[in-house]
Amino acid sequence: MSDLPNPLLDDASRKWRMFCDAADEDTIHLLEEKNLIAPARRVFAFSEFVSENCIRSPLLLGELAKSGDLLRSYEAGEYENRVRMSLEGMSDDISIGHALCKIRRREIIRIAWRDLSRIASLSETLEDLSAFADACLQAALDAVRQSLCRQYGVPTSGKGAAQHPVVIGMGKLGARELNFSSDVDLVFAYPEPGSTTGGEKSVTNEEYFVRLCRNYIGILGSTSPDGPLFRVDLRLRPYGENGPLVMSFDNMEDYYQNQGREWERYAWIKARIVAGDGKAGRQLLDRMRPFIFRRYIDYNMFESFREMKRNIERELRVKGIRENIKNGPGGIREVEFFGQIFQLLRGGVTAPLQQRGIREILNVLMDERHISEETARALGSAYIFLRDTENRLQEYRDQQTHVLPTDADGRLRLAAAMGFDDWAGFLDSLNIHRRFVHDQFRQLLSMDVDETSPPEKTVEARLEAVWLGLEPEEEASRFLNGLGIGSPGEVLHALAALREDPATQALGQEGQRRLNKLIPLLLNRFAATPHPMDVLQSVLGLIQTVQRRTTYLSLLVENPDAVTRLIEFSAASPWILSYLAQHPLLLDELLDPRTLFTPPTRNELAEDLARRFKNLQSQDLEYQMETLRVFKYANTLRVAAADISGGLPLMQTSDHLSWIAEEVINKVLDLSWRYLTQKHGTPVCVLSEETLQRGFAVIAYGKLGGFELGYTSDLDLVFLHAGTRSETTGGDHPVDTGQFYARLAQRVIHLMTAHTSAGVLYDTDVRLRPSGSGGVLVSHIDAFENYQMEEAWTWEHQALVRARAIWGDPALCRRFEQIRAKVIGSPREKKSLQKEVAGMRARMFQEYGRRNREGFDLKQDRGGMVDIEFLVQHIVLLMARDVPSLVRWTDNVRLIQSLAQCGLVNDRTAHLLRAAYLTYRAMAHRLGLQDKPAVVPIEMFEDLRRSITDLWRRTFGSE
C-alpha cells in the first residue's frame, strides 16, 4: 500500500477497519485470505461502490474470496450458468428482476475488483461486462417468453412456423465493449407476422411481441435493495422514440432501405444479436448488411459524414465539454468515429472492416494500409487509456459519468487508480492522447485541396463558369489560353457536348453539384499533357459513362490526385480509360499509388484472392462471381499501371497477366468442384493404379499456354479427366463419371463467361479439344492420347507445342506432359511436315491476312508473328525425337533459345527470330494500350519483315 498517496491510504485503512468490524459481527474470518488484504485496501480506496457494498454485506466479499473468483477468469458460458441458477424457482417478473439485481451486484463487484487491482486487462473487463449483460438479457427474455406462452400460446407465421423474438444489442453492448456503468442500447424484432396458437387467448404476433417487450423492459429496468439492473435505451429503433417497440423483419428492412439515414448506418455498425433466436437474428443482420455496408466505395456519403462531424465539433464548443473524456475533444467518441467512417465507406468492399470492435478496426486499417502503423498504434493506445479512465471514473460510485473530477480528492484518486503519482502526471498523459486523437479527427474527411486558397478558388470559380457556359465564348477562350490550354474552341465544344448530353441534363441536383466541382478540377490539370484534346475527350467520355452513378463523381471530387492519375493514364493509354469506363469500380484503385504501380507477385495474388473469399460474408454465387471479377480487374489495372509507367518489361507483363488468369481458374475450379460434389458426390478416379483426389486437369493452349497473355486475350483451354466407368459416390444425386466431368467443365465455362453486373471474367475458347467443336467437352486422358497419336492433324500438334497443364492432380498433369512429349517427339517425314505446316499457314493467311497493302499486320501478314511461330513449331516437331529437351518450354522466346543451344539454328537466325518476335510483340502491345489494332505503316520493320520472309522461303520453298 506504500504506493498510495497518504490521503488515499488513510481513507483505505479507515474503510478496511469498517469492513473488518462488520465481518467480525457476522463471524466472517477473512484474515487467512492473505491475497485479499492488500488489493482490498487498494480497491476500497478507488471505489465507494465496492467498499460500501462489502461493508454492508461482508459475506459477499468472503464468498468471492473463498471461491477464487476474484483471481480467475471465467470460462465460456459461466455467466449464463450462474444467471440461470440464480433464477431457479422464480416465475413472477418482480422476483426475477430482484434476483438479477442481486447477482449483478456480485458480478459487478468482482469485475471492478479485478480491474482496480490490475488482475484483469481492459479487454477482459469489457468482455466480462458484456458477457454478463448478455446472460441477463437472455435469462430475462426466457422468463418473459415462458410466462406469455402460458397465456397466449406460441406465435407462429402464416405457414405455422414458430416465431421467436430477436434482441439486437447496439453500441458498446453490440461491440462487446460495455463500460462499467453503461446503458444497454436495444432494438427488438421478430421474423414474420401471424398469430399465437395453443394458449388461453390468441393474439396477433405484433400484439404478442409488444407485450413481451414491455414486460422484458420492466425486468431489465428493475431496482432492488441490491441496486439497479440496467438502464435500457430504445432510441435507436426505427423512427426513434416515436417508433413501434418491435417490428417484423420485412418492415424493419423496408424502413432502413427506404428511410434509413446515415447516422442509422453508423449506429448499426456494431449491431449484434444478444438474446433470442440467434439463427433468425443472423438472417436479419444479413438482410441489413447492404444498408450498413455498401458493396462499393460510397463517396456520395462524404457530405453526410462531414455533417455528422460538424455536429460533433459544434458540441465541443459547449461549456464544460472539454472535461468529458467520452464526448470532449480527443475523447472516446472521436476514436470510434475515426474507425467507423472507414467502416461505412469501405466495409462493403473490405470485409474485415465489418468487425465491431474499434481496436480490431484500427488493426485492419493498418493492415490494409489506409492508415500508418504509427497512427494505428497511437489511436489504439489512446483508446485503451481513455476507456480505462472511463471505467475508473464509473467504478467509484457505479454511476454513468465521463466528466473528470474537479475536487482535489477526486483527482488524486483517479490519478492513482490510473497508476500515476499525482494529477499533473495523469493529465499530461491524458492530454497527449487527446491531442493526437483530436488532430486525427480534425484531418478526417478533409479535402486534399486547400479550399481557402483565394487564387485557386478564383481559377476554379472561373473554370466552373466556363463549364456551365456562363462566360462569353471570346472571354472563355482568352481565359483558357491564359491557363496554357490550347485549341480553346475545341475545348468549349467538347464541354458543351457533355453539358447538353441528355444523361447529364437528367442528373439530380446533387449529381449536378458534384459534376460542377469535378470538371474545373479536370480542366485545371489536363493542359500539360502531350495531346491535351485527346486526353480531354477520353476523360470526358469516361465521365459521361459513369456520371449516372454519382458516387464515382464524388470519388474524383474528393481525391484530386486520382483526377491527376486519370489524366496521366489517358495520355499514356486510351485503353486504360476504356477499361475504367467498362469497370468504374476500379476508380477506387487510383487512390493509393503504393499499390497501384506495384503489380503483385504470384504468392501475393494467391494470398489476395484467399483473403477476399475468406472475408466474403455471403456464399451467394453471384457475389462470388463478382468478387472474382473485381480481383481480376483490380490486379489487371495494377499491371497496366506499372506497364505504362515503364516499371514492367513486356515479358514480365505477360507473366503477371498469366498468373492472374491461373489464380482465377484455380478458384473457379474450386468453386465448381465444391458445388458439384455436394450435389452428386465424388467421382472415382484411378490412373496407373493410383487413386486421384479429383482426377481432373486444365490444359492451357495459345497465349496462356505460352506465357504471352495480353490485356484482352481469350483463354484457350482443354479439359481432361481420369475417371473410371462408374457413378459418383456420396451425393444425393449420383451421376455417371463422364457426365460429372462434363458438368464440371460446363460450370467452369459458365463462371468464366457469364455476364454479371461487374462484367465477364474471360472469354474462353475450348475448340482446341479433340475433334474440335464436335468433340466431347472433357476427354479421358487415355482417349486424349489415342486421339493425338492416331487422329490429330499436324496443326493440332503445333498447338500442343504451346500447351501446358495449369491445374489438376499432379499425377494427371504428369501424364499429360508425357503424352505431349510423346506426340511432339513422334517421327515425322520432313517434306510431308513442311507441306502440312505451309498449307495451314496459307489457309490462315487467306482467312486472316490483310488485303489492304497500305499497312503491315504484325501478327497475320507475311513476315509477321505467325510466320515466326510456325517456323519454330516446324523445327520443334521435326527435331524433338532426336532432341527431347525441345519439349520443355512452351513460349516462343525460350523455344528459340533452345533451338540455338541445341545447334538446330545458327546464332544469326536465332537472333533474327527472337529480335523480330519481341519487336513485333512490343509494338502490338503498345498499340493495344493505345486502343489501336496491331497494324503499322507498310514501310515500318521492312528489313525484319523481309528477313523473316526470306527465312520462310528457304525453309518451305514458297510464301
Side-chain angles (χ1 to χ4, degrees), residues 151 170 178 215 335 340 356 401 437 479 534 554 752 831 879:
Q151 186 175 359
M170 312 288 279
L178 208 61
N215 294 352
V335 182
Q340 287 170 307
R356 299 178 180 91
T401 180
V437 170
F479 176 60
D534 291 342
S554 298
M752 299 282 279
K831 288 187 177 179
M879 303 303 300

Side-chain angles (χ1 to χ4, degrees), residues 777-833:
L777 190 56
V778 186
S779 299
H780 190 281
I781 188 69
D782 293 339
F784 178 80
E785 180 177 15
N786 291 335
Y787 176 84
Q788 291 291 341
M789 295 301 298
E790 304 295 336
E791 301 178 46
W793 296 84
T794 297
W795 68 264
E796 292 178 282
H797 292 175
Q798 287 180 249
L800 203 58
V801 171
R802 289 164 59 81
R804 62 189 177 92
I806 59 172
W807 187 96
D809 293 88
L812 185 55
C813 293
R814 286 194 299 270
R815 175 71 184 280
F816 165 76
E817 295 298 343
Q818 292 165 0
I819 295 169
R820 176 177 175 271
K822 180 180 177 181
V823 172
I824 294 174
S826 297
R828 301 176 195 275
E829 199 277 318
K830 183 176 181 179
K831 288 187 177 179
S832 175
L833 178 63

Side-chain angles (χ1 to χ4, degrees), residues 204-222:
T204 65
N205 285 358
E206 182 179 9
E207 291 176 277
Y208 173 90
F209 285 114
V210 166
R211 292 176 192 234
L212 180 143
C213 292
R214 285 175 179 162
N215 294 352
Y216 185 50
I217 296 165
I219 292 178
L220 296 179
S222 297

Side-chain angles (χ1 to χ4, degrees), residues 81-320:
N81 294 334
R82 288 177 176 274
V83 170
R84 193 180 304 113
M85 290 173 59
S86 72
L87 299 184
E88 285 184 355
M90 298 181 184
S91 58
D92 65 284
D93 292 355
I94 294 176
S95 60
I96 290 169
H98 285 184
L100 290 175
C101 289
K102 182 176 182 179
I103 193 171
R104 177 192 182 273
R105 183 174 70 145
R106 179 196 190 272
E107 297 305 329
I108 293 297
I109 287 173
R110 171 189 170 271
I111 293 169
W113 186 286
R114 289 170 55 75
D115 182 51
L116 292 170
S117 58
R118 300 176 187 171
I119 297 172
S121 65
L122 174 65
S123 295
E124 186 174 354
T125 298
L126 301 183
E127 178 61 33
D128 273 358
L129 289 164
S130 302
F132 174 70
D134 285 359
C136 291
L137 290 166
Q138 185 62 58
L141 185 64
D142 290 341
V144 173
R145 281 184 60 241
Q146 290 171 11
S147 174
L148 282 181
C149 283
R150 286 193 293 268
Q151 186 175 359
Y152 299 108
V154 177
T156 59
S157 68
K159 296 180 180 180
Q163 303 288 289
H164 304 288
V166 171
V167 181
I168 304 146
M170 312 288 279
K172 288 186 168 60
L173 174 63
R176 299 185 190 275
E177 295 173 343
L178 208 61
N179 58 32
F180 191 79
S181 187
S182 178
D183 293 350
V184 289
D185 297 294
L186 303 178
V187 173
F188 304 127
Y190 62 93
E192 295 181 49
S195 58
T196 62
T197 60
E200 299 171 5
K201 177 184 177 183
S202 177
V203 295
T204 65
N205 285 358
E206 182 179 9
E207 291 176 277
Y208 173 90
F209 285 114
V210 166
R211 292 176 192 234
L212 180 143
C213 292
R214 285 175 179 162
N215 294 352
Y216 185 50
I217 296 165
I219 292 178
L220 296 179
S222 297
T223 58
S224 77
D226 293 300
L229 185 55
F230 296 114
R231 291 178 299 274
V232 179
D233 193 333
L234 305 175
R235 289 175 295 175
L236 293 178
R237 68 187 189 270
Y239 303 103
E241 290 179 299
N242 298 319
L245 202 55
V246 59
M247 294 177 74
S248 69
F249 287 6
D250 284 346
N251 287 342
M252 184 170 283
E253 183 181 21
D254 181 70
Y255 167 81
Y256 285 111
Q257 294 299 343
N258 294 305
Q259 301 183 53
R261 291 155 290 181
E262 291 312 309
W263 70 262
E264 288 177 298
R265 286 181 63 203
Y266 185 88
W268 273 84
I269 285 177
K270 295 185 177 184
R272 176 174 64 89
I273 307 306
V274 295
D277 189 338
K279 182 179 179 181
R282 287 187 291 274
Q283 292 172 352
L284 174 62
L285 291 184
D286 284 342
R287 292 170 66 171
M288 288 290 296
R289 190 169 283 111
F291 165 69
I292 308 166
F293 300 109
R294 306 285 165 79
R295 286 169 64 173
Y296 51 86
I297 307 281
D298 192 355
Y299 287 93
N300 285 347
M301 298 299 104
F302 262 79
E303 199 53 46
S304 297
F305 296 151
R306 286 200 180 98
E307 184 58 33
M308 292 168 65
K309 181 184 172 190
R310 283 192 287 269
N311 289 338
I312 294 173
E313 290 169 332
R314 279 192 287 269
E315 284 186 32
L316 297 182
R317 293 190 284 271
V318 175
K319 185 177 180 180

Side-chain angles (χ1 to χ4, degrees), residues 90 146 197 353 372 393 497 582 610 651 688 697 775 898:
M90 298 181 184
Q146 290 171 11
T197 60
L353 286 173
S372 68
L393 283 171
Q582 293 173 43
M651 292 180 68
S688 301
S898 295

